[in-house]
Amino acid sequence: MALPDLKQDPTEARLARLTLPEGGCLAPARQEALARLRAMGLPQRRDEYWKFTRPDALIQPDPIPASVGVLDETPIFDAIDRLKIVFVDGVFDPEASDDLTLEGVQIDRIADICGKDIHWTKDIFGVLEARGQTPVARPLAALSTAFATDGVAIHVTGKPAKPISLIYRHENETSDVLLHHVIRVDPGAVATILENGPAAARLNKVTEIDIADGGTLHHVRAQGRDHERRAATHMFTRMGEGSVYKSFTLTVNGVLTRNEQVVELTGDNAIAHVAGACVGDGDFHHDDTVFITHDAQNCESRQVFKKVLRNGAVGVFQGKILVKPGAQKTDGYQISQSLMLDDDSQFLAKPELEIYADDVACSHGSTSGAIDEEGLFYLRSRGVPKGEATDLLTQAFLAEALDEIEDKTLSEDLLERLRGWLTRRR
Amino acid sequence: MLEIKNLHVQLKEEDKQILKGVDLTVEPGKVHAIMGPNGSGKSTLSYVLAGREGYEVTEGSATLNGVSLLDMEPEARAAAGLFLAFQYPVEIPGVGNMTFLRTAVNAQRKARGEDEMSATDFLKLVRERAKALKIDADMLKRPVNVGFSGGEKKRNEILQMAMLEPKMCILDETDSGLDVDAMKLVADGVNALRDEGRGFLVITHYQRLLDHIKPDVVHIMAAGRIIKTGGPELALEVETNGYADILNEVA
């Protein structure tokens, strides 16, 4: 079926700027992704899935330039012993990165794998992304599969002693970056992946994660402070029996961010927690789109998203729990909440449950509110100035999301960024 | 200490007069009690003094040691030495009780141009004061007032008072929702803070709190005014005869 011109023209205009990498073991996946993309077309304003977020800036042929921010605080995760993998405007920087050797994990550059005839990555690269294209199309993810030449392949074979930290630096005002990571967690293996930094003026990133039976992956991400950046990220996670996936994203600033999480629970007794906190001031649009599919018994999934908005900032949450036939004893939970610090901001939420099994417990809730006046007066009556009291209540609002992070050193580090943001805006 | 003159207050939202000329002076070292039937304006008086929004002062004044309270922000009133123990202490999920106490103590010190209290000194002090009120470590760790029983909430109010060491304490129906033992505990906490430099204004419906916190002066408030002032015996009279006699007498 041919695409309407409305979709085909912008799609081809975008593709005209890109070159499909050839050869090597990933080439077939790239060609298939390109075919998928051409069949779907890039997202348009009229697409139901993009109803609350205008995709224009994400799909236009050239990125809108974004000035490079100057960090006036200690970089996040700075005090944490970790294996650093640095990308500067989307290109792996071996000088700035650590030696990639670490017991319990094998790390390769996607750029290096491209030249090889055989590599484990090909079983996952583009495969999980393709699975995630139904029932809802995610064309920007196919774009990264087809064209991204950099990224890392992380094969967790054991229990690496420290987190693997992906650091994205933004140095070029017009950088337009496609990244693609693949993570495989072996049975019983456990790892923590950290991500931070603004990455580029425009970032289009895909991470495919395959967690085998009994494997555990913790993921904590902070999306960087450069205000003018735009980003579309996708994480596709397939989970085996008894596996655990816990992901948290903190977003401060960013004029446009769309974070999609697609999780498929394919083995019994698996646990998936996806959470996020964002704080936005003014020209800020943040979209969390989550799709969790329960396709096995006795699995637990949890979505906790909190947004603090002011001066016209916009927060979007589209979260779905799909329980397939036979996925009995599913425990699904979803909450999305916004705290509006003024009357100008907007929170748009679309919580969805679709359930085809009869013995499940699923709940969802969404709220939107202002600072609690009673609490504010109580704090002020004890001598806490209004600004400080408001910050305290704002932190308290976000705390429930931050509590989702198991490692308290990490959550404290994120809280520190939030405090910084609040203080800068007092 | 606290001097209220001809205070007239109405609700901002509706054109309703609540206080219709309150005159009251609390001297340092003294405990004044205000009793009165429901709707007489007792709680409104405490809220207006603490600076809660929603009220409009149309006439009169209120000063603390000669400084006008009514134009100050609530936090400035607190730093100036005013403390209100709430009738319904507010629950603040996500803010630890200890964090709350330390933030409040240091904010007031900062406002007065004093150095912040060190973490060690603070911890020592809070443990000592909490112990006297039978507040355990768990209650200090939990979010402010969340999941606290009625008695725990009131004890927590007194702990804040003990930590902040205000000059003028207003207790708004601190006895409501307390059993006899809890009331004794709270009263002991208040009595421990009595000294010649500190004034108290105790708002209550019942005489029984005044058995434990012995007032120097008792006021009867009705329809937005203090209609009668006397010694502790006035509270006993109310307990025996109710407000009807006094109201009739004044009318």
Side-chain angles (χ1 to χ4, degrees):
Chain A
M1 193 177 69
L3 281 176
D5 290 349
L6 184 75
K7 283 228 162 195
Q8 191 167 354
D9 294 349
T11 303
E12 291 305 324
R14 174 79 169 112
L15 294 179
R17 290 283 196 282
L18 300 163
T19 313
L20 194 71
E22 288 178 5
C25 58
L26 303 181
R30 293 186 188 282
Q31 274 156 13
E32 284 166 26
L34 180 58
R36 271 198 298 282
L37 178 58
R38 284 210 155 104
M40 295 183 275
L42 284 168
Q44 295 294 313
R45 285 176 66 184
R46 290 185 194 170
D47 293 356
E48 179 65 23
Y49 216 45
W50 289 84
K51 192 175 173 179
F52 303 130
T53 298
R54 288 185 66 157
D56 308 47
L58 298 170
I59 67 158
Q60 66 190 48
D62 296 305
I64 298 168
S67 53
V68 176
V70 179
L71 204 61
D72 54 5
E73 62 185 353
T74 316
I76 194 163
F77 306 141
D78 201 53
I80 291 160
D81 183 26
R82 61 209 161 119
L83 186 137
K84 286 181 244 173
I85 304 176
V86 180
F87 294 87
V88 178
D89 290 308
V91 180
F92 174 72
D93 182 343
E95 297 296 313
S97 301
D98 290 334
D99 175 13
L100 301 186
T101 320
L102 179 66
E103 196 179 328
V105 65
Q106 170 71 38
I107 302 167
D108 295 300
R109 269 184 84 181
I110 292 291
D112 294 336
I113 296 165
C114 291
K116 293 184 180 169
D117 289 334
I118 189 149
H119 192 272
W120 62 265
T121 315
K122 73 172 179 50
D123 297 332
I124 300 171
F125 189 93
V127 173
L128 300 188
E129 174 258 295
R131 286 174 75 98
Q133 296 292 354
T134 45
V136 191
R138 305 173 201 280
L140 289 169
L143 187 72
S144 271
T145 303
F147 296 98
T149 51
D150 224 326
V152 279
I154 300 172
H155 184 185
V156 185
T157 53
K159 295 178 180 173
K162 52 188 176 184
I164 296 137
S165 181
L166 306 173
I167 299 160
Y168 308 110
R169 290 192 188 140
H170 171 214
E171 291 182 359
N172 181 335
E173 290 194 354
T174 56
S175 55
D176 188 19
V177 167
L178 295 164
L179 276 172
H180 198 117
H181 304 307
V182 178
I183 300 169
R184 176 170 153 190
V185 181
D186 278 355
V190 181
T192 298
I193 305 283
L194 305 177
E195 293 187 279
N196 73 284
R202 179 168 71 179
L203 171 69
N204 192 79
K205 177 166 71 81
V206 166
T207 308
E208 292 173 291
I209 303 167
D210 200 8
I211 310 177
D213 296 352
T216 296
L217 187 73
H218 293 279
H219 169 247
V220 178
R221 159 168 74 166
Q223 291 187 294
R225 264 179 57 187
D226 287 16
H227 186 64
E228 293 162 17
R229 65 173 172 77
R230 289 172 172 79
T233 76
H234 289 79
M235 301 189 74
F236 297 92
T237 308
R238 180 169 62 185
M239 302 177 61
E241 190 177 332
S243 65
V244 176
Y245 172 58
K246 293 192 177 178
S247 172
F248 183 92
T249 300
L250 171 75
T251 311
V252 293
N253 301 1
V255 286
L256 176 60
T257 309
R258 162 102 160 191
N259 291 329
E260 294 196 29
Q261 288 261 10
V262 183
V263 179
E264 198 184 359
L265 298 134
T266 61
D268 295 347
N269 304 310
I271 296 171
H273 292 187
V274 182
C278 79
V279 288
D281 186 353
D283 189 9
F284 172 92
H285 185 108
H286 183 92
D287 178 335
D288 282 302
T289 290
V290 182
F291 198 113
I292 295 185
T293 305
H294 283 260
D295 197 11
Q297 292 196 21
N298 207 29
C299 290
E300 175 192 313
S301 74
R302 215 178 133 77
Q303 304 171 40
V304 179
F305 288 88
K306 300 255 193 175
K307 295 173 169 35
V308 174
L309 306 166
R310 57 188 265 176
N311 288 330
V314 180
V316 175
F317 175 77
Q318 301 190 101
K320 180 156 181 170
I321 305 173
L322 170 62
V323 181
K324 289 202 167 177
Q328 303 296 7
K329 306 286 180 195
T330 285
D331 178 2
Y333 175 76
Q334 180 195 92
I335 183 87
S336 63
Q337 296 183 306
S338 75
L339 173 65
M340 320 270 226
L341 295 177
D342 54 40
D343 296 337
D344 304 328
S345 303
Q346 274 189 71
F347 178 54
L348 305 155
K350 192 169 86 172
E352 286 182 282
L353 298 179
E354 193 176 337
I355 301 171
Y356 296 100
D358 57 10
D359 185 13
V360 304
C362 282
S363 63
H364 66 84
S366 185
T367 66
S368 201
I371 282 279
D372 174 26
E373 288 296 332
E374 291 288 315
L376 190 63
F377 174 62
Y378 192 61
L379 289 168
R380 294 178 72 191
S381 78
R382 298 304 181 242
V384 184
K386 192 177 181 184
E388 207 176 322
T390 306
D391 287 2
L392 209 54
L393 293 172
T394 305
Q395 280 178 46
F397 167 78
L398 293 168
E400 196 192 335
L402 286 158
D403 280 348
E404 296 291 311
I405 304 170
E406 268 183 31
D407 185 332
K408 293 305 155 208
T409 317
L410 292 174
S411 59
E412 187 51 43
D413 206 346
L414 296 188
L415 189 59
E416 202 50 51
R417 313 298 133 183
L418 286 168
R419 286 198 195 106
W421 186 87
L422 291 167
T423 310
R424 287 194 296 276
R425 271 157 190 80
R426 197 181 282 167
Chain B
M1 171 80 38
L2 179 67
E3 209 166 336
I4 303 168
K5 281 184 187 159
N6 194 31
L7 191 64
H8 286 69
V9 172
Q10 66 180 40
L11 291 179
K12 258 186 190 156
E13 298 287 308
E14 39 190 312
D15 192 21
K16 190 181 171 191
Q17 196 80 24
I18 311 279
L19 300 184
K20 301 166 184 167
V22 174
D23 287 288
L24 179 68
T25 303
V26 180
E27 309 81 7
K30 300 289 184 199
V31 175
H32 284 233
I34 297 186
M35 301 180 76
N38 290 327
S40 56
K42 305 186 299 293
S43 287
T44 295
L45 177 64
S46 70
Y47 282 142
V48 168
L49 293 173
R52 188 187 171 118
E53 284 183 22
Y55 301 101
E56 195 183 341
V57 176
T58 52
E59 214 183 319
S61 65
T63 57
L64 183 64
N65 291 333
V67 182
S68 173
L69 288 173
L70 301 175
D71 303 325
M72 293 163 98
E73 297 291 337
E75 53 267 37
R77 301 179 195 206
L82 186 78
F83 181 92
L84 169 64
F86 282 52
Q87 183 181 0
Y88 304 108
V90 181
E91 296 185 5
I92 309 183
V95 178
N97 210 11
M98 197 75 117
T99 309
F100 165 62
L101 283 168
R102 202 176 55 231
T103 308
V105 166
N106 283 332
Q108 290 203 11
R109 288 178 155 241
K110 202 171 152 192
R112 292 194 291 255
E114 300 164 12
D115 286 340
E116 291 196 355
M117 200 186 275
S118 78
T120 338
D121 289 350
F122 174 81
L123 210 61
K124 209 177 134 198
L125 193 66
V126 84
R127 282 197 181 129
E128 178 197 308
R129 304 261 151 108
K131 199 177 163 193
L133 288 157
K134 297 201 170 133
I135 289 174
D136 59 18
D138 183 54
M139 256 177 83
L140 289 172
K141 258 189 244 157
R142 273 149 62 188
V144 180
N145 294 325
V146 177
F148 285 26
S149 69
E152 286 175 333
K153 282 182 182 170
K154 295 299 170 76
R155 265 147 60 202
N156 203 30
E157 292 293 288
I158 306 305
L159 174 63
Q160 292 163 39
M161 196 163 90
M163 291 302 296
L164 294 168
E165 300 178 340
K167 292 177 190 147
M168 179 67 219
C169 309
I170 304 170
L171 282 72
D172 186 10
E173 298 198 24
T174 295
D175 51 340
S176 69
L178 293 187
D179 60 33
V180 181
D181 293 338
M183 182 155 33
K184 179 88 174 36
L185 208 55
V186 163
D188 288 349
V190 172
N191 288 330
L193 288 167
R194 288 180 74 160
D195 74 34
E196 52 193 43
R198 188 170 284 139
F200 286 87
L201 186 60
V202 179
I203 296 170
T204 182
H205 270 296
Y206 303 106
Q207 200 273 330
R208 57 177 191 168
L209 178 68
L210 304 178
D211 282 342
H212 300 290
I213 305 173
K214 299 241 181 312
D216 299 294
V217 183
V218 175
H219 308 273
I220 305 296
M221 192 165 178
R225 271 195 204 96
I226 305 274
I227 57 165
K228 191 168 183 181
T229 296
E233 72 287 347
L234 191 52
L236 291 166
E237 190 189 325
V238 168
E239 186 77 0
T240 323
N241 305 326
Y243 294 111
D245 288 359
I246 299 169
L247 292 176
N248 288 336
E249 181 186 319
V250 176

